[in-house]
């Protein structure tokens, strides 16, 4: 052990190292071991305190007060302790060997699993590359078809314009030649035919702009569905939003209630009038009070991702508002428009009854806003009597629709007392 430690350490620098084979020979020859401090004395005793063999001179010297005993008496106890340590060490050795075996097996398993995952990655990558290549070919095919379509439309328009231009040039040249070289009689004879021809040519409708545009875009971040089981991105966009063709829809487009959530829908279309089918447009909505400059409603614009946008708002002040809806800085169809915000929905304060006589339990002082009365001093309405609307109605305002808004304003103290009495009864 001392041989394994560095020689420069103080605690092992002075130790003498003996070959194990030599000690084995000495043991077999039963040669006595002499004390290193007293070379003439044999090591026959064992100092328990210092845990080392000693000779008699050592016991009489620096080990005088230490508990000592003969080596033959303590060898069994110390030998048993060594055997227990040896047994424990052997168990640890077995455990270590088992762990090392498991480590080796796990190393093999890791390598095998890594190779299997590498194969999966390669298969995935090959499939992904194949899907991307197919998607690329599909995009290029779409682009080629779109180009051919636009070119065909341009060729058709060009042919029509060229034919119209040729007809006009022929008519103009003929008319100029007639006016310059024809006689008075010839001009008068052909005037009707020439005028009819030129008038007909001038009335032919034609577009002053190319029938198509060059608006072809590629959006690399656009989801394009799946190809060969893989999700792919990238789409050709040939639709461009046309604010003049975008429309507004909804029941709350021109009317709303105070402190009530309302809204409408914006439908975006392209230059041909077709629905865009995708979102992402720059939509801006402003709602401002016409009479109060500092009063404005902050709307919320929700992009549905399909070419429609939900605009919701909750006005706090009643009155007339101006609403502007712009896409890419331009007003859409129907913008700007006016919005009327009515007062908060007035709940009924009375009861929805058939008549005052029934709802009040026959009280004569109970009144009803329908204005009906009964004979015998009754101040309220009754079935079949004068003023009764002939159906169920609200006692506060006489409105016959149960889900309707109350037609009367805030009740006065007098009417409130009478009304409360009716409701209580």
């Amino acid at each position: 052990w001392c041989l394994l430690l560095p020689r420069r350490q103080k605690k092992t620098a002075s130790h003498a190292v003996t070959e194990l084979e030599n000690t084995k020979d000495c043991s077999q020859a039963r040669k006595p071991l002499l004390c290193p401090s007293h070379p003439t004395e044999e090591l026959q005793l064992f100092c328990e305190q210092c845990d080392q063999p000693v000779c008699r001179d050592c016991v009489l010297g620096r080990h005088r007060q230490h508990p000592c005993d003969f080596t033959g008496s303590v060898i069994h106890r110390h030998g048993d302790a060594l055997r227990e340590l040896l047994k424990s060490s052997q168990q640890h050795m077995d455990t270590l060997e088992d762990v090392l075996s498991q480590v080796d097996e796990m190393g093999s398993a890791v390598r095998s699993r890594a190779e299997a995952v590498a194969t999966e990655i390669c298969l995935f990558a090959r499939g992904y590359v194949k899907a991307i290549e197919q998607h690329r070919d599909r995009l290029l095919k779409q682009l080629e078809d779109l180009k051919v379509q636009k070119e065909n439309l341009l060729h058709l328009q060009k042919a029509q314009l060229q034919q119209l231009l040729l007809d006009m040039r022929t008519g103009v040249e003929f008319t100029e030649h007639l006016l310059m070289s024809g006689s008075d009689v010839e001009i008068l004879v052909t005037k009707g035919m020439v005028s009819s021809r030129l008038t007909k040519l001038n009335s032919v409708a034609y577009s002053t702009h190319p029938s198509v545009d060059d608006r072809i875009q590629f959006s690399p971040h656009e989801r394009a569905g799946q190809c060969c089981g893989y999700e792919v991105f990238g789409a050709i966009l040939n639709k461009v939003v046309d604010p003049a063709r975008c429309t507004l829809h909804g029941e709350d487009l021109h009317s709303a209630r105070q402190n009530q959530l309302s809204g409408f829908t914006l439908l975006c279309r392209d230059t041909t009038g077709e629905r865009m089918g995708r979102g992402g447009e720059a939509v801006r909505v402003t709602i401002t009070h016409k009479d109060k400059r500092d009063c404005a409603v902050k709307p919320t614009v929700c992009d549905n991702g399909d070419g429609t946008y939900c605009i919701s708002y909750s006005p706090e002040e009643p009155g007339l508002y101006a609403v502007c809806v712009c896409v890419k800085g331009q007003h859409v169809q129907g913008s700007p428009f006016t919005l009327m915000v009515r007062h908060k929905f007035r709940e009924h304060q009375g009861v929805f009854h058939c008549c005052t006589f029934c709802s009040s339990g026959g009280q004569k002082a109970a009144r009803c806003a329908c204005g009906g009365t009964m004979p015998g001093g009754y101040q309220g309405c009754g079935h079949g009597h004068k003023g009764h609307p002939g159906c169920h109605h609200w006692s506060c305002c006489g409105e016959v629709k149960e889900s309707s808004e109350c037609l009367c304003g805030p009740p006065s103290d007098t009417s409130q007392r009478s009304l409360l009495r009716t409701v209580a009864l």
Side-chain angles (χ1 to χ4, degrees):
W1 179 265
C2 295
L3 186 63
L4 299 176
L5 296 176
R7 296 291 294 174
R8 62 176 178 273
Q9 292 187 5
K10 292 182 178 180
K11 60 182 180 179
T12 59
S14 60
H15 289 189
V17 179
T18 304
E19 293 292 340
L20 187 60
E21 295 178 356
N22 296 337
T23 57
K24 185 176 180 181
D25 295 341
C26 294
S27 175
Q28 292 176 352
R30 295 191 179 276
K31 292 182 180 180
L33 294 178
L34 302 180
C35 178
S37 301
H38 308 92
T40 59
E41 295 294 331
E42 185 180 353
L43 296 174
Q44 296 179 343
L45 302 170
F46 186 80
C47 179
E48 296 288 351
Q49 181 173 337
C50 299
D51 194 30
Q52 68 178 34
V54 294
C55 66
R56 289 179 299 173
D57 291 345
C58 292
V59 172
L60 297 176
R62 59 190 182 93
H63 296 276
R64 179 182 299 274
Q65 301 298 330
H66 297 177
C68 298
D69 200 352
F70 286 99
T71 56
S73 302
V74 301
I75 186 61
H76 299 291
R77 178 162 50 84
H78 288 281
D80 292 341
L82 283 176
R83 278 186 283 274
E84 288 296 327
L85 285 176
L86 177 62
K87 182 179 179 181
S88 176
S89 300
Q90 290 173 343
Q91 290 177 351
H92 282 296
M93 289 175 59
D94 295 339
T95 303
L96 289 172
E97 290 178 353
D98 183 55
V99 172
L100 286 172
S101 176
Q102 294 181 21
V103 169
D104 292 337
E105 292 177 358
M106 185 57 65
S108 300
V110 168
R111 287 188 292 272
S112 300
R113 186 58 188 158
E115 293 176 358
V117 172
T119 303
E120 293 179 6
I121 292 175
C122 292
L123 290 175
F124 171 81
R126 281 196 293 268
Y128 208 171
V129 170
K130 182 180 179 181
I132 293 176
E133 290 177 346
Q134 289 189 9
H135 183 52
R136 175 202 61 194
D137 297 340
R138 186 171 60 186
L139 288 174
L140 292 176
K141 179 65 167 54
Q142 293 177 2
L143 179 61
E144 181 65 21
D145 294 343
L146 182 60
K147 183 193 74 169
V148 171
Q149 178 185 0
K150 286 179 176 290
E151 287 179 342
N152 289 340
L153 292 175
L154 290 174
H155 288 324
L156 178 61
Q157 183 185 19
K158 182 178 180 180
Q160 293 174 345
L161 292 175
Q162 286 177 338
Q163 184 61 46
L164 180 59
L165 178 61
L166 179 61
D167 294 342
M168 283 190 170
R169 181 176 289 117
T170 303
V172 168
E173 291 177 353
F174 178 82
T175 304
E176 288 177 345
H177 179 73
L178 176 64
L179 293 174
M180 292 179 60
S181 305
S183 63
D184 296 342
V185 177
E186 291 175 340
I187 293 175
L188 294 175
V189 169
T190 58
K191 176 184 74 68
M193 180 188 65
V194 173
S195 299
S196 175
R197 178 60 175 169
L198 292 179
T199 302
K200 183 177 180 180
L201 290 174
N202 289 334
S203 64
V204 174
Y206 60 92
S207 175
T208 58
H209 302 283
S211 59
V212 297
D213 52 44
D214 61 346
R215 294 173 180 174
I216 303 175
Q217 298 177 349
F218 174 67
S219 177
H221 304 293
E222 192 89 9
R223 292 182 179 273
Q226 289 192 345
C227 185
C228 300
Y230 296 86
E231 186 176 7
V232 292
F233 294 83
I236 295 175
L237 306 178
N238 65 315
K239 290 186 176 182
V240 179
V241 66
D242 186 358
R245 295 180 180 269
C246 298
T247 54
L248 301 171
H249 307 272
E251 296 181 358
D252 300 333
L253 192 59
H254 296 286
S255 63
R257 288 279 187 178
Q258 180 185 9
N259 295 327
Q260 181 176 328
L261 184 64
S262 303
F264 54 89
T265 302
L266 167 66
L267 174 58
C268 289
R269 303 179 185 275
D270 63 4
T271 53
T272 63
E274 293 184 2
R275 183 169 171 170
M276 287 296 295
R278 60 179 176 83
E281 303 297 343
V283 178
R284 182 173 177 269
V285 182
T286 59
I287 305 176
T288 55
H289 203 289
K290 283 196 170 185
D291 299 328
K292 300 178 182 179
R293 293 184 177 180
D294 297 334
C295 181
V297 180
K298 186 177 181 181
T300 300
V301 180
C302 178
D303 187 350
N304 297 324
D306 58 356
T308 62
Y309 300 80
C310 292
I311 295 94
S312 57
Y313 59 93
S314 180
E316 297 181 357
E317 294 288 337
L320 198 62
Y321 288 78
V323 183
C324 296
V325 181
C326 297
V327 175
K328 291 186 176 180
Q330 301 179 32
H331 285 280
V332 301
Q333 190 178 130
S335 176
F337 61 92
T338 56
L339 169 68
M340 173 56 71
V341 177
R342 292 182 291 170
H343 285 276
K344 186 179 179 181
F345 187 87
R346 291 191 294 270
E347 301 287 347
H348 290 282
Q349 301 298 319
V351 292
F352 192 68
H353 63 182
C354 60
C355 68
T356 308
F357 181 82
C358 294
S359 64
S360 65
Q363 296 292 324
K364 289 186 176 182
R367 298 176 181 271
C368 183
C370 72
T373 58
M374 291 177 63
Y378 287 93
Q379 300 181 23
C381 60
H383 298 290
H385 295 288
K386 182 181 178 180
H388 190 276
C391 60
H392 278 70
H393 56 281
W394 286 98
S395 63
C396 52
C397 64
E399 177 65 39
V400 296
K401 189 176 181 181
E402 186 175 6
S403 60
S404 62
E405 180 182 10
C406 188
L407 299 178
C408 60
S412 61
D413 294 341
T414 304
S415 61
Q416 180 71 8
R417 286 196 298 271
S418 175
L419 179 60
L420 290 175
R421 181 181 180 187
T422 304
V423 175
L425 292 173

